[in-house]
């Protein structure tokens, strides 16, 4: 088989595997009520676990309202059928719209809340919704619940919960969920949600609004939870509020963590693990809690990343070593050296001169004046160094330019447009990108995915196109992959493109962060100590990349303690000390000034 045939064959296997499994399970359980029941319940549990895996596993949001959202989907669909006589299909659609909309509304006021407060907010919402449902008896049946639930029908065929037909209905929705999750996983949406888990600053630094990413996570998971709820009601034929209790949340959490939070196959493994444990504890009724508890402990402790994580590591062990831990060579394997000139050539085109102007800027943290009345300018086509002893205010000055810290006084503008007050992601979109003092990379993504994240942000096809995996989004992904690969190739990292960034040495992580920024094709690149953690050789290369960029009309601001790097790369430097600007000019001239030497040596000038 040639390579093309192999690729085609593996794509066919990938797309057919899930439907084939569902059909085999359906045929195998036909005629056995117990196993049919288990299989249908597992299908619904998969949809719900996928919903929680998306928001918690991928996006890192501990959404405690998910079970109530699931319940709301169940009650809404039944209510519409019973009280308004609408069909199951319309009721299902409305239920899903209601649950996803409400989930987005829950997240809306929480845009800037930290993880813990967001979890508390979702808990508060769940408790409030529980109370509302309890007192709205017409909707939820109060403490008694609802016992008359009509069955869906399709072309005259009744799909009664617990019967074979209902299994097929569930299987179709489980399959659609599986496909949707595959789209999320493979597209920019998956990368952006995982980036959100690492903290909002990475997303903002590639031009994506973290608040918007949060809303997408809530909306999608709310939609899936509502779908699972509506199916569950019509499967069980009886629902009450106890069904959507705290116990259910614990079981969901278990399934997600055991299966592997944030892994594509996590929900599949999680649901299977819970099924097996339930069966085991039925058989050994004497020691069921013990088996349950010990099983969970062993799995969680022994398998980082749950069963899916263990499985992935096992697969990696049998993957050819070259792929897993490829040397620092190019994709062609020729062992070429890094090629900074080429990095620059594919990035920046000649453009109009642009200038950032910082005027009388002040930033305070409580009583500390971190930046004190500083005025500087930097333009495209030049490399400007920002130096000074520890605590001089260099990082704070960069943070002020990129919108990361509030300022006390002064002004910052780009070509006359005010930058102060703009959101970080908007400043990135205006052409100013930055790296961080300790590289902000996503350890659980590969090198390639880390770099592609910047392509998803700035000119990405948008969330809807990504989730639906439209032809446009597939084309965009391909282009983005090629550009990211070319950048990695020029930094001699192509051989590691498919490895996880978390497994890489510090120097590689720094280069990945730089590559991600270059992917944004910025007008200005602010580098916060890019030489830290690099070898002497790598530092010289960074200097060369920086110089090459400035020849292509990119403006670089370089913060570093390594004066030989500053000397090699910069046209001029600014020196800060205790928040104040004490010198500026060409590096050699500035380094010779007594005031600068004194600031560095800590003696009076
Ligand atoms: N988030 C913060 N909260 C409180 N104080 C801060 C914060 N960030 C910086 N500072 C203080 O502001 C001053 C300037 O810090 P900054 O990190 O900008 O200096 P720097 O020149 O980048 O130092 P280094 O070279 O060590 O990175 C320091 O006194 C620091 O303690």
């Amino acid at each position: 088989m040639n390579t093309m045939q192999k690729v085609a064959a593996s794509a066919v296997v990938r797309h057919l595997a899930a439907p084939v499994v569902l059909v085999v399970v359906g045929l195998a359980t036909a005629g056995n009520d117990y196993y049919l029941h288990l299989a249908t319940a597992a299908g619904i549990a998969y949809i719900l676990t996928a919903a929680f895996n998306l928001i918690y596993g991928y996006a890192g949001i501990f959404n405690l309202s998910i079970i109530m959202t699931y319940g709301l989907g169940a009650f809404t669909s039944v209510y519409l059928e019973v009280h308004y006589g609408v069909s199951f299909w319309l009721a299902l659609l409305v239920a899903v719209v209601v649950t996803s909309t409400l989930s987005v509304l829950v997240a809306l006021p929480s845009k800037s809340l930290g993880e813990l407060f967001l979890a508390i907010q979702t808990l508060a919402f769940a408790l409030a919704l529980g109370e509302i449902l309890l007192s709205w008896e017409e909707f939820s049946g109060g403490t008694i619940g609802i016992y008359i639930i009509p069955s869906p029908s399709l072309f005259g065929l009744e799909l009664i919960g617990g019967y074979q037909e209902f299994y097929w209905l569930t299987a179709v929705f489980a399959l659609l969920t599986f496909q949707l999750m595959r789209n999320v996983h493979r597209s920019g949406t998956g990368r952006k949600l995982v980036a959100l888990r690492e903290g909002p600053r990475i997303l903002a630094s590639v031009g994506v609004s973290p608040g918007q990413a949060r809303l997408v996570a809530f909306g999608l998971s709310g939609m899936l939870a509502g779908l699972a709820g509506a199916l569950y009601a019509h499967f069980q034929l009886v629902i009450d509020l106890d069904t959507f209790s705290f116990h259910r949340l614990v079981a969901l959490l278990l399934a997600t963590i055991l299966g592997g939070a944030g892994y594509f196959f996590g929900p599949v493994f999680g649901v299977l693990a819970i099924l097996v444990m339930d069966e085991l504890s039925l058989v050994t009724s004497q020691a069921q809690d013990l088996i349950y508890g010990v099983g969970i402990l062993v799995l969680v402790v022994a398998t980082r990343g749950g069963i899916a994580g263990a499985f992935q590591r096992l697969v990696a062990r049998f993957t050819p070593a070259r792929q897993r831990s490829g040397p620092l060579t190019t994709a062609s394997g020729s062992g070429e050296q890094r090629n900074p000139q080429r990095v620059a050539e594919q990035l920046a085109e000649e453009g109009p001169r642009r200038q950032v102007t910082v005027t009388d800027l002040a930033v305070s943290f409580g009583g500390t004046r971190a930046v004190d009345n500083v005025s500087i300018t930097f333009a495209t086509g030049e490399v400007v160094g920002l130096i000074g002893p520890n605590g001089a205010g260099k990082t704070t000055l960069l943070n002020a330019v990129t919108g990361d810290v509030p300022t006390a006084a002064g002004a910052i503008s780009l070509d006359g447009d005010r930058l102060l007050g703009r959101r970080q992601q908007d400043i990135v979109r205006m052409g100013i990108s930055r790296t961080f003092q300790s590289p902000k990379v996503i350890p659980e993504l590969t090198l390639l995915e880390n770099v592609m994240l910047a392509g998803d942000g700035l000119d990405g096809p948008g969330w809807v196109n990504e989730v639906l995996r439209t032809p446009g989004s597939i084309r965009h992904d391909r282009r983005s992959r090629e550009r990211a690969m070319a950048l990695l190739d020029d930094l001699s990292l192509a051989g590691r493109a498919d490895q996880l960034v978390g497994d890489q040495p510090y120097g590689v992580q720094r280069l990945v962060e730089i590559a991600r920024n270059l992917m944004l094709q910025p007008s200005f690149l602010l580098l916060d100590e890019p030489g830290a953690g690099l070898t002497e050789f790598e530092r010289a290369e960074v200097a060369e990349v920086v110089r090459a960029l400035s020849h292509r009309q990119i403006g670089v601001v370089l913060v570093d303690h390594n004066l030989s790097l500053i000397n090699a790369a910069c046209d001029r430097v600014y020196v800060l000390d205790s928040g104040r600007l004490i010198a500026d000019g060409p590096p050699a001239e500035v380094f010779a000034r007594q005031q600068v030497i004194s600031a560095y040596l800590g003696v009076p000038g």
Side-chain angles (χ1 to χ4, degrees):
M1 233 195 265
N2 65 28
T3 313
M4 282 306 286
Q5 284 169 324
K6 275 187 198 158
V7 169
S10 74
V12 169
V13 169
R14 252 187 289 126
H15 282 97
L16 283 185
V20 167
V21 167
L22 288 170
V23 168
V24 168
V25 169
L27 296 177
T29 54
N32 183 322
D33 286 352
Y34 180 65
Y35 285 122
L36 190 62
H37 187 92
L38 277 189
T40 312
I44 297 172
Y46 166 73
I47 300 172
L48 181 62
T49 314
F52 194 57
N53 191 38
L54 188 139
I55 193 152
Y56 171 65
Y58 280 75
I61 300 166
F62 201 45
N63 177 10
L64 292 167
S65 68
I66 191 125
I67 289 297
M68 264 302 154
T69 313
Y70 173 58
L72 187 67
F75 286 115
T76 306
S77 63
V78 173
Y79 180 75
L80 291 174
E81 286 171 274
V82 172
H83 290 268
Y84 293 95
V86 305
S87 74
F88 164 79
W89 307 102
L90 181 59
L92 177 80
L93 184 69
V94 175
V96 163
V97 170
V98 166
T99 53
S100 59
T101 308
L102 207 67
S103 296
V104 168
L105 291 178
V106 173
L108 212 49
S110 68
K111 271 189 170 175
S112 54
L113 285 186
E115 276 169 44
L116 180 63
F117 288 102
L118 185 56
I120 292 172
Q121 181 175 315
T122 59
L123 179 64
F125 168 73
L127 293 174
L129 184 62
E131 285 304 314
I132 292 170
L133 292 187
L134 187 63
S135 51
W136 189 7
E137 291 193 5
E138 192 190 0
F139 187 77
S140 68
T143 48
I144 298 166
I146 294 181
Y147 289 82
I148 301 162
I149 297 179
S151 296
S153 75
L154 185 68
F155 304 122
L157 179 70
E158 287 258 310
L159 311 174
I160 303 170
Y163 285 71
Q164 182 81 19
E165 294 78 11
F166 200 87
Y167 168 80
W168 294 119
L169 175 74
T170 305
V172 168
F173 280 114
L175 195 62
L176 289 174
T177 304
F178 188 79
Q179 188 56 46
L180 181 123
M181 286 307 298
R182 175 183 272 160
N183 290 355
V184 166
H185 186 80
R186 289 194 303 167
S187 68
T189 295
R191 291 186 285 270
K192 286 183 277 191
L193 293 184
V194 173
L196 180 65
R197 189 176 70 201
E198 291 302 317
R201 284 180 96 185
I202 297 186
L203 267 186
S205 78
V206 294
V208 177
S209 154
Q212 196 185 55
R214 231 179 216 188
L215 297 187
V216 170
F218 269 92
L220 278 176
S221 77
M223 181 185 84
L224 290 179
L227 168 65
L231 286 175
Y232 182 81
H234 293 81
F235 168 55
Q236 287 293 343
L237 301 171
V238 173
I239 45 168
D240 59 23
L241 277 169
D242 278 349
T243 319
F244 309 104
S245 64
F246 185 69
H247 282 102
R248 192 91 188 94
L249 179 66
V250 172
L252 177 61
L253 195 59
L254 264 182
T256 309
I257 292 173
L258 282 183
Y263 287 85
F264 174 68
F265 281 108
V268 177
F269 287 122
V271 169
L272 287 178
I274 296 284
L275 270 185
V276 169
M277 285 206 287
D278 277 350
E279 290 302 294
L280 270 183
S281 49
L282 277 182
V283 176
T284 57
S285 53
Q286 288 293 311
Q288 62 183 39
D289 286 349
L290 191 67
I291 287 188
Y292 223 87
V294 171
I296 291 164
L297 260 183
V298 168
L299 277 169
V300 170
V301 172
T303 63
R304 184 169 50 90
I307 303 171
F311 190 70
Q312 187 161 305
R313 283 194 297 283
L314 196 70
V315 171
R317 189 178 290 178
F318 292 103
T319 312
R322 191 184 59 78
Q323 247 195 319
R324 280 193 293 117
S325 54
L328 267 170
T329 59
T330 58
S332 60
S334 62
E336 270 176 56
Q337 295 305 312
R338 298 197 170 101
N339 192 339
Q341 281 300 337
R342 250 178 42 211
V343 174
E345 273 160 29
Q346 41 160 318
L347 291 168
E349 309 212 332
E350 297 289 335
R353 185 174 183 277
R354 308 186 75 190
Q355 178 167 309
V356 172
T357 309
V358 176
T359 316
D360 300 330
L361 188 77
V363 181
S364 297
F365 297 108
T368 309
R369 198 74 156 170
V371 174
D372 194 1
N373 212 25
V374 169
S375 298
I376 64 170
T377 60
F378 48 93
T380 47
E382 64 172 347
V383 183
V384 175
L386 197 54
I387 61 170
N390 286 336
K394 307 178 293 289
T395 298
T396 306
L397 182 50
L398 289 198
N399 285 344
V401 173
T402 56
D404 275 88
V405 289
T407 53
I412 307 175
S413 65
L414 169 60
D415 300 335
D417 286 340
R418 193 178 152 80
L419 288 186
L420 277 188
R422 289 187 197 262
R423 297 177 310 170
Q424 294 165 50
Q425 59 267 26
D426 296 332
I427 292 174
V428 172
R429 287 174 173 273
M430 289 170 79
I432 302 179
S433 81
R434 57 100 40 99
T435 65
F436 296 88
Q437 209 161 19
S438 56
K440 287 208 181 297
V441 284
I442 303 154
E444 295 85 4
L445 293 185
T446 65
L447 273 71
L448 185 64
E449 289 166 332
N450 265 275
V451 180
M452 284 176 74
L453 180 66
D456 303 324
L458 212 53
D459 63 344
W463 300 97
V464 174
N465 281 314
E466 285 168 359
V467 171
L468 295 179
R469 206 140 173 85
T470 56
S473 87
I474 293 173
R475 271 197 306 277
H476 178 276
D477 236 34
R478 198 179 308 132
R479 278 199 308 272
S480 173
R481 183 177 298 271
E482 281 164 9
R483 277 182 53 218
M485 200 66 196
L487 276 169
L488 288 173
D489 195 10
D490 288 341
L491 291 168
S492 275
L493 294 173
R496 300 177 178 225
D498 293 328
Q499 295 175 26
L500 297 183
V501 164
D503 295 339
Q504 306 301 315
Y506 197 65
V508 170
Q509 297 192 4
R510 262 201 189 291
L511 291 174
V512 168
E513 196 193 29
I514 291 177
R516 189 179 69 211
N517 274 279
L518 296 179
M519 184 88 177
L520 295 167
Q521 299 198 303
S523 295
F524 295 95
L525 183 54
L526 316 187
L527 299 170
D528 198 352
E529 299 197 27
L534 300 192
T535 63
E536 203 53 52
F537 175 68
E538 287 169 328
R539 243 196 314 262
E541 282 182 330
V542 167
E544 212 183 320
V545 172
V546 166
R547 286 245 57 99
L549 291 175
S550 67
H551 294 146
R552 304 289 295 181
Q553 282 299 316
I554 289 189
V556 180
V557 176
L558 188 58
V559 172
D560 214 288
H561 286 287
N562 188 296
L563 296 187
S564 60
L565 173 65
I566 294 285
N567 201 23
C570 297
D571 299 300
R572 56 194 182 91
V573 292
Y574 287 107
V575 187
L576 290 181
D577 185 25
S578 302
R580 297 206 174 155
L581 188 64
I582 58 165
D584 68 280
E589 192 186 299
V590 165
F591 292 162
R593 285 196 209 163
Q594 187 55 42
Q595 197 186 8
V596 175
I597 297 168
S598 304
Y600 266 93
L601 296 179
V603 291

